[in-house]
mmCIF file of all heavy atoms in Angstrom:
data_model
loop_
_atom_site.group_PDB
_atom_site.id
_atom_site.type_symbol
_atom_site.label_atom_id
_atom_site.label_comp_id
_atom_site.label_asym_id
_atom_site.label_seq_id
_atom_site.Cartn_x
_atom_site.Cartn_y
_atom_site.Cartn_z
ATOM 1 N N VAL A 497 192.627 -54.398 -29.579
ATOM 2 C CA VAL A 497 192.620 -53.746 -28.267
ATOM 3 C C VAL A 497 194.054 -53.629 -27.715
ATOM 4 O O VAL A 497 194.425 -52.599 -27.165
ATOM 5 C CB VAL A 497 191.709 -54.526 -27.292
ATOM 6 C CG1 VAL A 497 191.927 -54.049 -25.855
ATOM 7 C CG2 VAL A 497 190.243 -54.372 -27.695
ATOM 8 N N GLU A 498 194.840 -54.672 -27.919
ATOM 9 C CA GLU A 498 196.243 -54.607 -27.477
ATOM 10 C C GLU A 498 196.977 -53.455 -28.165
ATOM 11 O O GLU A 498 197.743 -52.730 -27.537
ATOM 12 C CB GLU A 498 196.973 -55.931 -27.769
ATOM 13 C CG GLU A 498 196.527 -57.108 -26.906
ATOM 14 C CD GLU A 498 196.864 -56.932 -25.425
ATOM 15 O OE1 GLU A 498 197.778 -56.167 -25.089
ATOM 16 O OE2 GLU A 498 196.148 -57.548 -24.591
ATOM 17 N N TRP A 499 196.746 -53.314 -29.473
ATOM 18 C CA TRP A 499 197.356 -52.203 -30.211
ATOM 19 C C TRP A 499 196.853 -50.885 -29.674
ATOM 20 O O TRP A 499 197.593 -49.942 -29.455
ATOM 21 C CB TRP A 499 197.033 -52.312 -31.684
ATOM 22 C CG TRP A 499 197.911 -53.244 -32.469
ATOM 23 C CD1 TRP A 499 199.179 -53.617 -32.178
ATOM 24 C CD2 TRP A 499 197.546 -53.905 -33.700
ATOM 25 N NE1 TRP A 499 199.638 -54.494 -33.151
ATOM 26 C CE2 TRP A 499 198.668 -54.669 -34.076
ATOM 27 C CE3 TRP A 499 196.398 -53.924 -34.495
ATOM 28 C CZ2 TRP A 499 198.663 -55.459 -35.245
ATOM 29 C CZ3 TRP A 499 196.394 -54.690 -35.651
ATOM 30 C CH2 TRP A 499 197.538 -55.463 -36.012
ATOM 31 N N ARG A 500 195.529 -50.810 -29.496
ATOM 32 C CA ARG A 500 194.888 -49.547 -29.064
ATOM 33 C C ARG A 500 195.498 -49.046 -27.755
ATOM 34 O O ARG A 500 195.727 -47.850 -27.589
ATOM 35 C CB ARG A 500 193.384 -49.812 -28.866
ATOM 36 C CG ARG A 500 192.568 -48.593 -28.579
ATOM 37 C CD ARG A 500 191.198 -48.989 -28.088
ATOM 38 N NE ARG A 500 191.252 -49.655 -26.794
ATOM 39 C CZ ARG A 500 190.224 -50.239 -26.197
ATOM 40 N NH1 ARG A 500 189.050 -50.279 -26.795
ATOM 41 N NH2 ARG A 500 190.342 -50.812 -25.003
ATOM 42 N N ASP A 501 195.764 -49.984 -26.847
ATOM 43 C CA ASP A 501 196.203 -49.581 -25.508
ATOM 44 C C ASP A 501 197.717 -49.509 -25.347
ATOM 45 O O ASP A 501 198.192 -49.312 -24.227
ATOM 46 C CB ASP A 501 195.615 -50.549 -24.467
ATOM 47 C CG ASP A 501 194.092 -50.476 -24.403
ATOM 48 O OD1 ASP A 501 193.527 -49.456 -24.874
ATOM 49 O OD2 ASP A 501 193.456 -51.426 -23.890
ATOM 50 N N LEU A 502 198.445 -49.671 -26.430
ATOM 51 C CA LEU A 502 199.925 -49.599 -26.311
ATOM 52 C C LEU A 502 200.358 -48.145 -26.412
ATOM 53 O O LEU A 502 200.147 -47.491 -27.445
ATOM 54 C CB LEU A 502 200.590 -50.438 -27.413
ATOM 55 C CG LEU A 502 202.058 -50.740 -27.163
ATOM 56 C CD1 LEU A 502 202.277 -51.645 -25.951
ATOM 57 C CD2 LEU A 502 202.728 -51.361 -28.402
ATOM 58 N N PRO A 503 200.940 -47.624 -25.313
ATOM 59 C CA PRO A 503 201.336 -46.210 -25.337
ATOM 60 C C PRO A 503 202.556 -45.954 -26.231
ATOM 61 O O PRO A 503 203.320 -46.884 -26.519
ATOM 62 C CB PRO A 503 201.685 -45.925 -23.866
ATOM 63 C CG PRO A 503 201.997 -47.220 -23.272
ATOM 64 C CD PRO A 503 201.246 -48.275 -24.044
ATOM 65 N N ASP A 504 202.713 -44.726 -26.663
ATOM 66 C CA ASP A 504 203.796 -44.339 -27.553
ATOM 67 C C ASP A 504 205.159 -44.928 -27.151
ATOM 68 O O ASP A 504 205.882 -45.437 -28.003
ATOM 69 C CB ASP A 504 203.921 -42.822 -27.605
ATOM 70 C CG ASP A 504 202.955 -42.202 -28.628
ATOM 71 O OD1 ASP A 504 202.652 -42.890 -29.633
ATOM 72 O OD2 ASP A 504 202.533 -41.061 -28.420
ATOM 73 N N ARG A 505 205.484 -44.863 -25.871
ATOM 74 C CA ARG A 505 206.837 -45.269 -25.433
ATOM 75 C C ARG A 505 207.124 -46.751 -25.675
ATOM 76 O O ARG A 505 208.272 -47.155 -25.749
ATOM 77 C CB ARG A 505 207.049 -44.930 -23.954
ATOM 78 C CG ARG A 505 206.134 -45.676 -23.028
ATOM 79 C CD ARG A 505 206.539 -45.635 -21.565
ATOM 80 N NE ARG A 505 205.704 -46.570 -20.818
ATOM 81 C CZ ARG A 505 204.513 -46.250 -20.307
ATOM 82 N NH1 ARG A 505 204.035 -45.039 -20.439
ATOM 83 N NH2 ARG A 505 203.794 -47.166 -19.663
ATOM 84 N N ASP A 506 206.063 -47.564 -25.792
ATOM 85 C CA ASP A 506 206.292 -49.014 -25.920
ATOM 86 C C ASP A 506 206.356 -49.529 -27.345
ATOM 87 O O ASP A 506 206.702 -50.679 -27.576
ATOM 88 C CB ASP A 506 205.183 -49.780 -25.165
ATOM 89 C CG ASP A 506 205.290 -49.603 -23.663
ATOM 90 O OD1 ASP A 506 206.418 -49.330 -23.180
ATOM 91 O OD2 ASP A 506 204.272 -49.733 -22.969
ATOM 92 N N TRP A 507 206.031 -48.692 -28.313
ATOM 93 C CA TRP A 507 206.016 -49.155 -29.717
ATOM 94 C C TRP A 507 207.416 -49.451 -30.226
ATOM 95 O O TRP A 507 207.583 -50.167 -31.237
ATOM 96 C CB TRP A 507 205.314 -48.156 -30.615
ATOM 97 C CG TRP A 507 203.824 -48.229 -30.486
ATOM 98 C CD1 TRP A 507 203.034 -47.441 -29.674
ATOM 99 C CD2 TRP A 507 202.938 -49.132 -31.146
ATOM 100 N NE1 TRP A 507 201.720 -47.821 -29.810
ATOM 101 C CE2 TRP A 507 201.626 -48.835 -30.695
ATOM 102 C CE3 TRP A 507 203.122 -50.158 -32.074
ATOM 103 C CZ2 TRP A 507 200.489 -49.541 -31.166
ATOM 104 C CZ3 TRP A 507 201.993 -50.853 -32.541
ATOM 105 C CH2 TRP A 507 200.711 -50.552 -32.072
ATOM 106 N N ALA A 508 208.435 -48.870 -29.578
ATOM 107 C CA ALA A 508 209.810 -49.113 -30.022
ATOM 108 C C ALA A 508 210.421 -50.294 -29.264
ATOM 109 O O ALA A 508 211.536 -50.739 -29.599
ATOM 110 C CB ALA A 508 210.659 -47.874 -29.815
ATOM 111 N N SER A 509 209.726 -50.823 -28.267
ATOM 112 C CA SER A 509 210.251 -51.975 -27.511
ATOM 113 C C SER A 509 210.499 -53.134 -28.433
ATOM 114 O O SER A 509 209.698 -53.417 -29.339
ATOM 115 C CB SER A 509 209.252 -52.409 -26.439
ATOM 116 O OG SER A 509 209.047 -51.381 -25.528
ATOM 117 N N GLU A 510 211.600 -53.836 -28.189
ATOM 118 C CA GLU A 510 211.958 -54.941 -29.077
ATOM 119 C C GLU A 510 211.308 -56.254 -28.688
ATOM 120 O O GLU A 510 211.257 -56.614 -27.503
ATOM 121 C CB GLU A 510 213.475 -55.083 -29.151
ATOM 122 C CG GLU A 510 214.103 -53.916 -29.888
ATOM 123 C CD GLU A 510 215.578 -54.092 -30.172
ATOM 124 O OE1 GLU A 510 216.245 -54.791 -29.365
ATOM 125 O OE2 GLU A 510 216.038 -53.529 -31.177
ATOM 126 N N VAL A 511 210.821 -56.955 -29.696
ATOM 127 C CA VAL A 511 210.238 -58.286 -29.496
ATOM 128 C C VAL A 511 210.838 -59.192 -30.578
ATOM 129 O O VAL A 511 211.495 -58.735 -31.518
ATOM 130 C CB VAL A 511 208.698 -58.236 -29.630
ATOM 131 C CG1 VAL A 511 208.098 -57.444 -28.469
ATOM 132 C CG2 VAL A 511 208.280 -57.670 -30.972
ATOM 133 N N LYS A 512 210.580 -60.496 -30.447
ATOM 134 C CA LYS A 512 211.177 -61.436 -31.391
ATOM 135 C C LYS A 512 210.101 -62.220 -32.136
ATOM 136 O O LYS A 512 209.157 -62.730 -31.522
ATOM 137 C CB LYS A 512 212.109 -62.405 -30.637
ATOM 138 C CG LYS A 512 213.267 -62.881 -31.503
ATOM 139 C CD LYS A 512 214.092 -63.950 -30.819
ATOM 140 C CE LYS A 512 214.994 -63.397 -29.708
ATOM 141 N NZ LYS A 512 215.649 -64.475 -28.964
ATOM 142 N N THR A 513 210.275 -62.314 -33.466
ATOM 143 C CA THR A 513 209.280 -63.028 -34.277
ATOM 144 C C THR A 513 209.598 -64.537 -34.251
ATOM 145 O O THR A 513 210.641 -64.960 -33.763
ATOM 146 C CB THR A 513 209.308 -62.572 -35.744
ATOM 147 O OG1 THR A 513 210.522 -63.038 -36.352
ATOM 148 C CG2 THR A 513 209.233 -61.066 -35.841
ATOM 149 N N ILE A 514 208.680 -65.333 -34.809
ATOM 150 C CA ILE A 514 208.860 -66.784 -34.865
ATOM 151 C C ILE A 514 210.114 -67.138 -35.689
ATOM 152 O O ILE A 514 210.750 -68.149 -35.451
ATOM 153 C CB ILE A 514 207.585 -67.479 -35.426
ATOM 154 C CG1 ILE A 514 207.743 -68.999 -35.498
ATOM 155 C CG2 ILE A 514 207.210 -66.957 -36.793
ATOM 156 C CD1 ILE A 514 207.476 -69.724 -34.219
ATOM 157 N N GLN A 515 210.460 -66.267 -36.656
ATOM 158 C CA GLN A 515 211.662 -66.505 -37.460
ATOM 159 C C GLN A 515 212.938 -66.124 -36.720
ATOM 160 O O GLN A 515 214.041 -66.289 -37.253
ATOM 161 C CB GLN A 515 211.613 -65.739 -38.770
ATOM 162 C CG GLN A 515 210.632 -66.283 -39.809
ATOM 163 C CD GLN A 515 209.275 -65.577 -39.720
ATOM 164 O OE1 GLN A 515 209.131 -64.593 -39.002
ATOM 165 N NE2 GLN A 515 208.298 -66.096 -40.430
ATOM 166 N N GLY A 516 212.775 -65.571 -35.497
ATOM 167 C CA GLY A 516 213.961 -65.200 -34.724
ATOM 168 C C GLY A 516 214.445 -63.793 -34.977
ATOM 169 O O GLY A 516 215.508 -63.390 -34.498
ATOM 170 N N ARG A 517 213.672 -63.024 -35.762
ATOM 171 C CA ARG A 517 214.055 -61.631 -36.019
ATOM 172 C C ARG A 517 213.669 -60.769 -34.828
ATOM 173 O O ARG A 517 212.567 -60.896 -34.304
ATOM 174 C CB ARG A 517 213.285 -61.096 -37.251
ATOM 175 C CG ARG A 517 213.934 -61.410 -38.570
ATOM 176 C CD ARG A 517 213.300 -60.588 -39.671
ATOM 177 N NE ARG A 517 211.834 -60.549 -39.619
ATOM 178 C CZ ARG A 517 211.120 -59.458 -39.838
ATOM 179 N NH1 ARG A 517 211.691 -58.299 -40.102
ATOM 180 N NH2 ARG A 517 209.797 -59.507 -39.803
ATOM 181 N N THR A 518 214.605 -59.873 -34.426
ATOM 182 C CA THR A 518 214.271 -58.910 -33.389
ATOM 183 C C THR A 518 213.740 -57.654 -34.068
ATOM 184 O O THR A 518 214.388 -57.093 -34.930
ATOM 185 C CB THR A 518 215.521 -58.574 -32.540
ATOM 186 O OG1 THR A 518 215.941 -59.786 -31.897
ATOM 187 C CG2 THR A 518 215.215 -57.529 -31.495
ATOM 188 N N VAL A 519 212.545 -57.265 -33.692
ATOM 189 C CA VAL A 519 211.878 -56.112 -34.339
ATOM 190 C C VAL A 519 211.213 -55.227 -33.281
ATOM 191 O O VAL A 519 210.909 -55.700 -32.193
ATOM 192 C CB VAL A 519 210.791 -56.591 -35.345
ATOM 193 C CG1 VAL A 519 211.397 -57.407 -36.474
ATOM 194 C CG2 VAL A 519 209.694 -57.376 -34.631
ATOM 195 N N PRO A 520 211.009 -53.957 -33.619
ATOM 196 C CA PRO A 520 210.235 -53.111 -32.690
ATOM 197 C C PRO A 520 208.780 -53.550 -32.703
ATOM 198 O O PRO A 520 208.314 -54.123 -33.707
ATOM 199 C CB PRO A 520 210.398 -51.693 -33.269
ATOM 200 C CG PRO A 520 210.726 -51.892 -34.698
ATOM 201 C CD PRO A 520 211.446 -53.212 -34.810
ATOM 202 N N ALA A 521 208.064 -53.274 -31.609
ATOM 203 C CA ALA A 521 206.658 -53.690 -31.543
ATOM 204 C C ALA A 521 205.847 -53.127 -32.698
ATOM 205 O O ALA A 521 204.849 -53.753 -33.115
ATOM 206 C CB ALA A 521 206.066 -53.217 -30.207
ATOM 207 N N SER A 522 206.256 -51.994 -33.234
ATOM 208 C CA SER A 522 205.499 -51.400 -34.333
ATOM 209 C C SER A 522 205.459 -52.314 -35.562
ATOM 210 O O SER A 522 204.524 -52.258 -36.358
ATOM 211 C CB SER A 522 206.120 -50.043 -34.729
ATOM 212 O OG SER A 522 207.489 -50.200 -35.033
ATOM 213 N N GLU A 523 206.447 -53.213 -35.683
ATOM 214 C CA GLU A 523 206.504 -54.143 -36.816
ATOM 215 C C GLU A 523 205.329 -55.146 -36.772
ATOM 216 O O GLU A 523 204.955 -55.720 -37.792
ATOM 217 C CB GLU A 523 207.849 -54.889 -36.785
ATOM 218 C CG GLU A 523 208.070 -55.882 -37.933
ATOM 219 C CD GLU A 523 208.471 -55.242 -39.243
ATOM 220 O OE1 GLU A 523 208.729 -54.001 -39.235
ATOM 221 O OE2 GLU A 523 208.536 -55.945 -40.270
ATOM 222 N N THR A 524 204.748 -55.336 -35.565
ATOM 223 C CA THR A 524 203.629 -56.301 -35.465
ATOM 224 C C THR A 524 202.463 -55.876 -36.364
ATOM 225 O O THR A 524 201.688 -56.701 -36.809
ATOM 226 C CB THR A 524 203.110 -56.426 -34.022
ATOM 227 O OG1 THR A 524 202.635 -55.163 -33.553
ATOM 228 C CG2 THR A 524 204.184 -56.968 -33.082
ATOM 229 N N VAL A 525 202.361 -54.583 -36.596
ATOM 230 C CA VAL A 525 201.237 -54.086 -37.400
ATOM 231 C C VAL A 525 201.389 -54.566 -38.842
ATOM 232 O O VAL A 525 200.436 -55.056 -39.464
ATOM 233 C CB VAL A 525 201.150 -52.526 -37.355
ATOM 234 C CG1 VAL A 525 199.955 -52.038 -38.162
ATOM 235 C CG2 VAL A 525 201.058 -52.052 -35.910
ATOM 236 N N TRP A 526 202.589 -54.443 -39.370
ATOM 237 C CA TRP A 526 202.818 -54.929 -40.734
ATOM 238 C C TRP A 526 202.740 -56.453 -40.815
ATOM 239 O O TRP A 526 202.194 -57.011 -41.738
ATOM 240 C CB TRP A 526 204.184 -54.438 -41.237
ATOM 241 C CG TRP A 526 204.580 -55.071 -42.543
ATOM 242 C CD1 TRP A 526 205.649 -55.879 -42.766
ATOM 243 C CD2 TRP A 526 203.886 -54.964 -43.798
ATOM 244 N NE1 TRP A 526 205.666 -56.283 -44.065
ATOM 245 C CE2 TRP A 526 204.592 -55.744 -44.729
ATOM 246 C CE3 TRP A 526 202.725 -54.311 -44.205
ATOM 247 C CZ2 TRP A 526 204.184 -55.892 -46.054
ATOM 248 C CZ3 TRP A 526 202.315 -54.458 -45.526
ATOM 249 C CH2 TRP A 526 203.049 -55.237 -46.442
ATOM 250 N N MET A 527 203.277 -57.139 -39.791
ATOM 251 C CA MET A 527 203.220 -58.607 -39.756
ATOM 252 C C MET A 527 201.770 -59.079 -39.915
ATOM 253 O O MET A 527 201.472 -60.038 -40.626
ATOM 254 C CB MET A 527 203.786 -59.131 -38.444
ATOM 255 C CG MET A 527 205.308 -59.040 -38.335
ATOM 256 S SD MET A 527 205.887 -59.225 -36.621
ATOM 257 C CE MET A 527 205.300 -60.878 -36.267
ATOM 258 N N ARG A 528 200.878 -58.405 -39.217
ATOM 259 C CA ARG A 528 199.470 -58.800 -39.269
ATOM 260 C C ARG A 528 198.822 -58.331 -40.579
ATOM 261 O O ARG A 528 198.023 -59.051 -41.185
ATOM 262 C CB ARG A 528 198.744 -58.172 -38.085
ATOM 263 C CG ARG A 528 197.261 -58.448 -38.031
ATOM 264 C CD ARG A 528 196.975 -59.917 -37.859
ATOM 265 N NE ARG A 528 195.535 -60.187 -37.729
ATOM 266 C CZ ARG A 528 194.992 -61.384 -37.761
ATOM 267 N NH1 ARG A 528 195.766 -62.456 -37.935
ATOM 268 N NH2 ARG A 528 193.704 -61.555 -37.620
ATOM 269 N N THR A 529 199.189 -57.157 -41.035
ATOM 270 C CA THR A 529 198.613 -56.606 -42.266
ATOM 271 C C THR A 529 198.808 -57.566 -43.438
ATOM 272 O O THR A 529 197.885 -57.896 -44.185
ATOM 273 C CB THR A 529 199.263 -55.238 -42.603
ATOM 274 O OG1 THR A 529 199.010 -54.344 -41.521
ATOM 275 C CG2 THR A 529 198.706 -54.653 -43.892
ATOM 276 N N ARG A 530 200.042 -58.040 -43.593
ATOM 277 C CA ARG A 530 200.280 -58.893 -44.760
ATOM 278 C C ARG A 530 199.565 -60.232 -44.619
ATOM 279 O O ARG A 530 199.103 -60.814 -45.606
ATOM 280 C CB ARG A 530 201.785 -59.066 -45.015
ATOM 281 C CG ARG A 530 202.560 -59.747 -43.925
ATOM 282 C CD ARG A 530 204.037 -59.736 -44.248
ATOM 283 N NE ARG A 530 204.705 -60.848 -43.600
ATOM 284 C CZ ARG A 530 206.006 -61.057 -43.658
ATOM 285 N NH1 ARG A 530 206.794 -60.248 -44.327
ATOM 286 N NH2 ARG A 530 206.547 -62.084 -43.054
ATOM 287 N N GLU A 531 199.437 -60.724 -43.402
ATOM 288 C CA GLU A 531 198.708 -61.986 -43.184
ATOM 289 C C GLU A 531 197.237 -61.868 -43.621
ATOM 290 O O GLU A 531 196.725 -62.704 -44.360
ATOM 291 C CB GLU A 531 198.734 -62.381 -41.710
ATOM 292 C CG GLU A 531 200.055 -62.899 -41.206
ATOM 293 C CD GLU A 531 200.422 -64.213 -41.887
ATOM 294 O OE1 GLU A 531 199.612 -65.166 -41.817
ATOM 295 O OE2 GLU A 531 201.511 -64.290 -42.489
ATOM 296 N N VAL A 532 196.551 -60.843 -43.114
ATOM 297 C CA VAL A 532 195.102 -60.772 -43.394
ATOM 298 C C VAL A 532 194.810 -60.497 -44.877
ATOM 299 O O VAL A 532 193.884 -61.094 -45.442
ATOM 300 C CB VAL A 532 194.375 -59.737 -42.503
ATOM 301 C CG1 VAL A 532 194.176 -60.303 -41.106
ATOM 302 C CG2 VAL A 532 195.082 -58.410 -42.446
ATOM 303 N N TRP A 533 195.603 -59.661 -45.512
ATOM 304 C CA TRP A 533 195.333 -59.381 -46.934
ATOM 305 C C TRP A 533 195.632 -60.583 -47.806
ATOM 306 O O TRP A 533 194.834 -60.983 -48.637
ATOM 307 C CB TRP A 533 196.144 -58.159 -47.412
ATOM 308 C CG TRP A 533 195.599 -56.840 -46.953
ATOM 309 C CD1 TRP A 533 196.152 -55.998 -46.000
ATOM 310 C CD2 TRP A 533 194.393 -56.197 -47.388
ATOM 311 N NE1 TRP A 533 195.372 -54.885 -45.834
ATOM 312 C CE2 TRP A 533 194.301 -54.971 -46.682
ATOM 313 C CE3 TRP A 533 193.401 -56.513 -48.321
ATOM 314 C CZ2 TRP A 533 193.240 -54.068 -46.873
ATOM 315 C CZ3 TRP A 533 192.354 -55.642 -48.516
ATOM 316 C CH2 TRP A 533 192.277 -54.431 -47.791
ATOM 317 N N ILE A 534 196.786 -61.196 -47.614
ATOM 318 C CA ILE A 534 197.151 -62.342 -48.472
ATOM 319 C C ILE A 534 196.216 -63.523 -48.224
ATOM 320 O O ILE A 534 195.743 -64.158 -49.175
ATOM 321 C CB ILE A 534 198.614 -62.794 -48.227
ATOM 322 C CG1 ILE A 534 199.572 -61.720 -48.711
ATOM 323 C CG2 ILE A 534 198.893 -64.110 -48.933
ATOM 324 C CD1 ILE A 534 201.032 -62.100 -48.565
ATOM 325 N N HIS A 535 195.930 -63.811 -46.968
ATOM 326 C CA HIS A 535 195.105 -64.988 -46.691
ATOM 327 C C HIS A 535 193.641 -64.777 -47.081
ATOM 328 O O HIS A 535 192.922 -65.745 -47.285
ATOM 329 C CB HIS A 535 195.267 -65.428 -45.239
ATOM 330 C CG HIS A 535 196.638 -66.006 -44.955
ATOM 331 N ND1 HIS A 535 197.262 -66.886 -45.824
ATOM 332 C CD2 HIS A 535 197.499 -65.826 -43.923
ATOM 333 C CE1 HIS A 535 198.446 -67.212 -45.313
ATOM 334 N NE2 HIS A 535 198.609 -66.569 -44.185
ATOM 335 N N ALA A 536 193.202 -63.526 -47.184
ATOM 336 C CA ALA A 536 191.858 -63.265 -47.723
ATOM 337 C C ALA A 536 191.814 -63.771 -49.172
ATOM 338 O O ALA A 536 190.811 -64.372 -49.591
ATOM 339 C CB ALA A 536 191.510 -61.779 -47.645
ATOM 340 N N VAL A 537 192.884 -63.537 -49.896
ATOM 341 C CA VAL A 537 192.957 -64.051 -51.267
ATOM 342 C C VAL A 537 193.003 -65.596 -51.224
ATOM 343 O O VAL A 537 192.328 -66.259 -52.010
ATOM 344 C CB VAL A 537 194.203 -63.507 -51.996
ATOM 345 C CG1 VAL A 537 194.355 -64.146 -53.382
ATOM 346 C CG2 VAL A 537 194.138 -61.968 -52.106
ATOM 347 N N ASP A 538 193.744 -66.140 -50.284
ATOM 348 C CA ASP A 538 193.890 -67.600 -50.180
ATOM 349 C C ASP A 538 192.592 -68.320 -49.871
ATOM 350 O O ASP A 538 192.475 -69.525 -50.133
ATOM 351 C CB ASP A 538 194.928 -67.950 -49.093
ATOM 352 C CG ASP A 538 196.348 -67.599 -49.532
ATOM 353 O OD1 ASP A 538 196.612 -67.564 -50.754
ATOM 354 O OD2 ASP A 538 197.201 -67.353 -48.641
ATOM 355 N N LEU A 539 191.624 -67.603 -49.329
ATOM 356 C CA LEU A 539 190.317 -68.240 -49.061
ATOM 357 C C LEU A 539 189.700 -68.738 -50.375
ATOM 358 O O LEU A 539 188.893 -69.660 -50.372
ATOM 359 C CB LEU A 539 189.365 -67.278 -48.362
ATOM 360 C CG LEU A 539 189.601 -67.025 -46.875
ATOM 361 C CD1 LEU A 539 188.634 -65.959 -46.359
ATOM 362 C CD2 LEU A 539 189.449 -68.310 -46.052
ATOM 363 N N GLY A 540 190.127 -68.117 -51.466
ATOM 364 C CA GLY A 540 189.703 -68.635 -52.787
ATOM 365 C C GLY A 540 188.226 -68.454 -53.068
ATOM 366 O O GLY A 540 187.641 -69.280 -53.776
ATOM 367 N N ASN A 541 187.634 -67.418 -52.554
ATOM 368 C CA ASN A 541 186.221 -67.155 -52.915
ATOM 369 C C ASN A 541 186.035 -65.745 -53.477
ATOM 370 O O ASN A 541 185.093 -65.059 -53.174
ATOM 371 C CB ASN A 541 185.287 -67.402 -51.720
ATOM 372 C CG ASN A 541 185.495 -66.426 -50.556
ATOM 373 O OD1 ASN A 541 186.630 -66.022 -50.298
ATOM 374 N ND2 ASN A 541 184.427 -66.077 -49.864
ATOM 375 N N GLY A 542 186.996 -65.354 -54.303
ATOM 376 C CA GLY A 542 186.773 -64.151 -55.078
ATOM 377 C C GLY A 542 187.713 -62.992 -54.828
ATOM 378 O O GLY A 542 187.842 -62.107 -55.666
ATOM 379 N N ALA A 543 188.384 -62.958 -53.666
ATOM 380 C CA ALA A 543 189.336 -61.878 -53.428
ATOM 381 C C ALA A 543 190.559 -62.068 -54.339
ATOM 382 O O ALA A 543 190.959 -63.196 -54.588
ATOM 383 C CB ALA A 543 189.761 -61.854 -51.965
ATOM 384 N N THR A 544 191.097 -60.968 -54.820
ATOM 385 C CA THR A 544 192.301 -61.044 -55.644
ATOM 386 C C THR A 544 193.295 -60.019 -55.130
ATOM 387 O O THR A 544 192.959 -59.150 -54.312
ATOM 388 C CB THR A 544 192.009 -60.728 -57.124
ATOM 389 O OG1 THR A 544 191.699 -59.325 -57.240
ATOM 390 C CG2 THR A 544 190.848 -61.557 -57.667
ATOM 391 N N PHE A 545 194.504 -60.085 -55.662
ATOM 392 C CA PHE A 545 195.515 -59.113 -55.268
ATOM 393 C C PHE A 545 195.144 -57.704 -55.687
ATOM 394 O O PHE A 545 195.663 -56.724 -55.158
ATOM 395 C CB PHE A 545 196.894 -59.529 -55.772
ATOM 396 C CG PHE A 545 197.550 -60.589 -54.934
ATOM 397 C CD1 PHE A 545 197.292 -61.924 -55.141
ATOM 398 C CD2 PHE A 545 198.396 -60.227 -53.888
ATOM 399 C CE1 PHE A 545 197.868 -62.910 -54.343
ATOM 400 C CE2 PHE A 545 198.973 -61.199 -53.070
ATOM 401 C CZ PHE A 545 198.708 -62.545 -53.306
ATOM 402 N N ALA A 546 194.221 -57.576 -56.648
ATOM 403 C CA ALA A 546 193.768 -56.259 -57.081
ATOM 404 C C ALA A 546 192.925 -55.604 -55.981
ATOM 405 O O ALA A 546 192.739 -54.392 -55.978
ATOM 406 C CB ALA A 546 192.960 -56.365 -58.382
ATOM 407 N N ASP A 547 192.444 -56.387 -55.031
ATOM 408 C CA ASP A 547 191.692 -55.837 -53.880
ATOM 409 C C ASP A 547 192.620 -55.259 -52.812
ATOM 410 O O ASP A 547 192.158 -54.555 -51.916
ATOM 411 C CB ASP A 547 190.844 -56.937 -53.230
ATOM 412 C CG ASP A 547 189.712 -57.414 -54.140
ATOM 413 O OD1 ASP A 547 189.057 -56.555 -54.743
ATOM 414 O OD2 ASP A 547 189.517 -58.650 -54.263
ATOM 415 N N VAL A 548 193.874 -55.628 -52.868
ATOM 416 C CA VAL A 548 194.832 -55.225 -51.837
ATOM 417 C C VAL A 548 195.323 -53.807 -52.154
ATOM 418 O O VAL A 548 195.678 -53.512 -53.280
ATOM 419 C CB VAL A 548 196.027 -56.207 -51.778
ATOM 420 C CG1 VAL A 548 196.998 -55.814 -50.667
ATOM 421 C CG2 VAL A 548 195.534 -57.639 -51.596
ATOM 422 N N PRO A 549 195.312 -52.903 -51.144
ATOM 423 C CA PRO A 549 195.754 -51.522 -51.390
ATOM 424 C C PRO A 549 197.195 -51.466 -51.935
ATOM 425 O O PRO A 549 198.038 -52.257 -51.492
ATOM 426 C CB PRO A 549 195.663 -50.854 -50.014
ATOM 427 C CG PRO A 549 194.767 -51.724 -49.219
ATOM 428 C CD PRO A 549 194.902 -53.104 -49.751
#
Side-chain angles (χ1 to χ4, degrees):
V497 168
E498 290 294 336
W499 278 334
R500 186 193 67 188
D501 295 341
L502 195 66
D504 275 330
R505 63 165 189 275
D506 291 335
W507 284 95
S509 298
E510 289 188 332
V511 294
K512 210 186 286 174
T513 71
I514 181 82
Q515 287 94 8
R517 276 192 315 138
T518 297
V519 298
S522 55
E523 182 79 8
T524 60
V525 182
W526 171 243
M527 287 165 60
R528 179 64 176 169
T529 300
R530 63 185 206 183
E531 286 295 305
V532 284
W533 284 108
I534 292 183
H535 291 317
V537 175
D538 289 334
L539 284 175
N541 66 325
T544 70
F545 279 86
D547 293 315
V548 182

